[in-house]
Amino acid sequence: MSTTVEKFDEWAVVEIMGHKKFAGHVTEHAMGGASFVRIDVPEITLDNGQKLAAFTKLFGTGSVYCISPCTEETAKAFAARFMAESFSRFEAPRLPAPNPSEPDGPVSEMRTCHECESNFVGYSHLCPDCEVHASDDPTGF
């Protein structure tokens, strides 16, 4: 008896750990001996004309809570509704631009926290305490 294994290759809405949702073309991806779920989210144009760039995410199979196969049109409609982007603000903070007069990059300096107005030494716009609280915020802001 032979068994045929089909590779998953469909448009779908994917829920990650029951918290985040992505919609796009979903396939299997193997890398380094591990299996991943690959989601290719298409470029989306919002009602206001703003465009969100297409991007790809790879998730370990244990992170996937649910996959709902659907049509391409449905996946694109959900992608527009979710307004997912490749990175969120809290995932990719902006770093200060290097100062050309400093060959090894910027030196930490005294700053005032934008949140609590306390003084601290560092590179961020938030003091270490406010950065911790910001990372706990589920909205990412």
Side-chain angles (χ1 to χ4, degrees), residues 18-37:
H19 299 288
K20 287 193 132 198
K21 295 179 183 177
F22 296 91
H25 188 247
V26 180
T27 55
E28 296 176 50
H29 187 89
M31 181 171 45
S35 294
F36 293 88
V37 173

Side-chain angles (χ1 to χ4, degrees), residues 59-119:
F59 293 99
T61 56
S63 299
V64 177
Y65 177 73
C66 177
I67 297 177
S68 301
C70 59
T71 65
E72 179 178 352
E73 294 77 22
T74 301
K76 288 180 176 180
F78 270 99
R81 184 171 151 210
F82 299 150
M83 294 190 300
E85 294 182 276
S86 181
F87 291 96
S88 298
R89 284 186 199 188
F90 66 91
E91 291 178 307
R94 292 186 179 193
L95 300 175
N99 184 340
S101 65
E102 298 171 1
D104 294 328
V107 175
S108 62
E109 58 187 59
M110 184 61 76
R111 296 186 178 265
T112 301
C113 178
H114 286 203
E115 186 72 26
C116 68
E117 298 185 1
S118 66
N119 292 323

